[in-house]
Amino acid sequence: MYKDPSGLLIGHYTPTSVILAEVAHLSSSFDHKYKDDANGKDSSIKLMAKQIIDTVTVQSALGHSQKEILNFTNNGIYSAQKGIYTDVVQIDTHSQLPTFMYYLGLMDKKHEQLFLRKKEIENMPDYKSDPKLIEEREAIKLELNIYCSTNDTGEGRYVNRLAAMYSGMNFIFDSMHYWGLSNVLNCVNDGYILQIKDDGDFNKQYQDFKQQWQSEFPLLTFSKKHWKYAIINGTQDYILINNSNDYKCRSSQLSTKAFYHQATGKSLDKLKQSEIDNDAFKYAQEKEKVAMMTLYNNLFSSMEPSLYGSYGKLENLNETKEILDKAGVTEANFLPVK
């Protein structure tokens, strides 16, 4: 990636429209708000419409079977293809904003030292088994996220972050081209979900991918996880699942966040840790677990004969059979179907 004189990291595939938006948004003289005469309130200025990939990059006609749409926003880059998919991988970029702030020279000395300390902890063997190191790393991570924010309203931990946002967005856009845009099922700011065809080929590609980017940014790190199934309803509305106990739920209706809001009328994203109702939170977590077990058993387990049904279902069948035996019902037409 190229660092221009204004301090922006521009990638090989970065659209010109994004560069122009970066220059405007990161200028101290640019006013992000305007007075909306219709309602008399301040509204946020959006400089870019959604980008249709075929108009942003030059590719062969066979490169895209459909026109992919990516939404470049003030808060990142987003894209989603709705559907149910098999054999996917989620790739996440660790501490994307702090990393690019560090490489752009935007950090003060205090936070630069914190960033390097966090990387030092993460490189320690078995640090995840040391509670003190885990606690220290989490504290640094939170401090860096707040420091990278230019819009910390105090309404909880999750806020829009603009510092180094565009450089991170340009990195994500360039890295997605490595995999092929048509293979990207979902992109959320600092990570994306890919559909893959062969695990062996992918693992080799992934090692090449890491080597390529870490040769340019040595402190840039990634993680990946394979999933059997993905249900994608939107950029921030999806479920990844391997079985009823191994899943990642970001569903707007079936997640812990959704059930907590349903129970309390409050958003977890806007609550500080001390404001969270622990009983309601445990209730919401349990609801999510039950929802994921039900979803998996009914939607996917039939694809895997060895996992068909569940222990609970078999117990119910045995109990039903015992009741029928006691009642003297022995004809096949009355027996439960397995």
Side-chain angles (χ1 to χ4, degrees):
M1 296 182 78
Y2 167 72
K3 181 177 177 181
D4 81 348
S6 67
L8 301 175
L9 278 179
I10 298 172
H12 179 71
Y13 294 99
T14 302
T16 303
S17 57
V18 175
I19 298 173
L20 295 174
E22 289 176 7
V23 173
H25 277 285
L26 298 182
S27 167
S28 59
S29 61
F30 178 74
D31 188 354
H32 294 257
K33 301 290 183 181
Y34 74 99
K35 184 70 72 176
D36 189 341
D37 294 332
N39 57 28
K41 296 181 179 178
D42 285 343
S43 298
S44 178
I45 294 176
K46 293 183 179 179
L47 294 184
M48 294 178 293
K50 289 184 179 180
Q51 304 293 305
I52 299 175
I53 293 309
D54 297 74
T55 66
V56 177
T57 60
V58 178
Q59 303 233 354
S60 68
L62 298 177
H64 299 292
S65 58
Q66 67 182 64
K67 289 183 182 293
E68 311 292 345
I69 295 178
L70 290 172
N71 191 10
F72 292 88
T73 73
N74 298 348
N75 192 35
I77 177 173
Y78 299 87
S79 173
Q81 296 184 39
K82 289 188 177 184
I84 298 177
Y85 303 91
T86 59
D87 301 320
V88 304
V89 171
Q90 184 174 37
I91 296 176
D92 285 322
T93 308
H94 300 157
S95 301
Q96 180 170 297
L97 291 175
T99 300
F100 284 111
M101 281 194 75
Y102 173 81
Y103 279 113
L104 286 168
L106 297 175
M107 281 186 172
D108 60 25
K109 288 296 180 183
K110 173 190 171 184
H111 290 90
E112 195 172 281
Q113 289 174 356
L114 284 174
F115 174 75
L116 293 174
R117 172 58 181 166
K118 178 174 174 289
K119 290 296 178 181
E120 182 185 6
I121 293 172
E122 290 168 351
N123 288 328
M124 292 179 182
D126 302 324
Y127 90 86
K128 291 185 178 179
S129 61
D130 188 328
K132 289 185 177 179
L133 288 176
I134 292 173
E135 186 178 353
E136 182 183 357
R137 178 188 171 276
E138 285 300 312
I140 293 174
K141 181 180 177 181
L142 179 58
E143 171 67 22
L144 289 174
N145 282 340
I146 292 174
Y147 175 71
C148 290
S149 303
T150 56
N151 185 31
D152 189 357
T153 61
E155 297 179 357
R157 293 170 55 180
Y158 304 99
V159 294
N160 294 330
R161 295 183 282 268
L162 294 173
M165 176 61 69
Y166 290 96
S167 293
M169 185 165 64
N170 291 342
F171 153 72
I172 283 290
F173 192 56
D174 260 39
S175 71
M176 286 195 300
H177 274 81
Y178 176 90
W179 303 106
L181 292 173
S182 58
N183 295 319
V184 178
L185 303 176
N186 192 14
C187 175
V188 186
N189 204 356
D190 58 357
Y192 38 79
I193 300 167
L194 300 168
Q195 188 160 37
I196 61 172
K197 297 177 182 177
D198 183 278
D199 277 357
D201 286 346
F202 170 79
N203 289 330
K204 181 181 183 305
Q205 281 183 298
Y206 180 71
Q207 293 305 316
D208 293 342
F209 167 80
K210 286 203 303 181
Q211 185 177 355
Q212 175 184 318
W213 283 106
Q214 288 173 346
S215 65
E216 193 167 356
F217 305 102
L219 295 177
L220 190 62
T221 56
F222 310 90
S223 61
K224 67 175 174 66
K225 181 163 183 177
H226 293 244
W227 299 93
K228 289 181 181 178
Y229 310 107
I231 304 172
I232 298 175
N233 192 43
T235 55
Q236 300 182 79
D237 190 346
Y238 60 90
I239 295 170
L240 302 171
I241 190 164
N242 282 325
N243 56 56
S244 58
N245 293 314
D246 183 14
Y247 60 83
K248 182 176 183 178
C249 180
R250 294 294 182 269
S251 167
S252 61
Q253 296 179 328
L254 301 177
S255 65
T256 296
K257 287 183 181 180
F259 289 124
Y260 186 90
H261 185 269
Q262 188 182 86
T264 66
K266 297 178 180 178
S267 170
L268 280 173
D269 285 347
K270 294 184 178 180
L271 293 175
K272 296 178 181 178
Q273 193 67 36
S274 59
E275 298 172 333
I276 295 175
D277 183 324
N278 288 328
D279 289 337
F281 185 73
K282 289 178 182 177
Y283 162 82
Q285 283 184 313
E286 190 59 32
K287 289 275 283 185
E288 180 189 271
K289 287 180 183 178
V290 172
M292 291 300 99
M293 181 180 70
T294 304
L295 181 145
Y296 179 78
N297 286 339
N298 285 280
L299 194 58
F300 298 124
S301 64
S302 60
M303 298 181 185
E304 304 170 22
S306 61
L307 296 176
Y308 180 76
S310 66
Y311 180 77
K313 285 183 178 179
L314 294 176
E315 284 291 295
N316 288 341
L317 286 173
N318 289 334
E319 186 179 349
T320 303
K321 188 175 183 305
E322 287 179 15
I323 293 171
L324 291 171
D325 286 341
K326 289 177 182 178
V329 179
T330 55
E331 292 185 23
N333 289 341
F334 291 94
L335 294 178
V337 179
K338 187 172 181 179

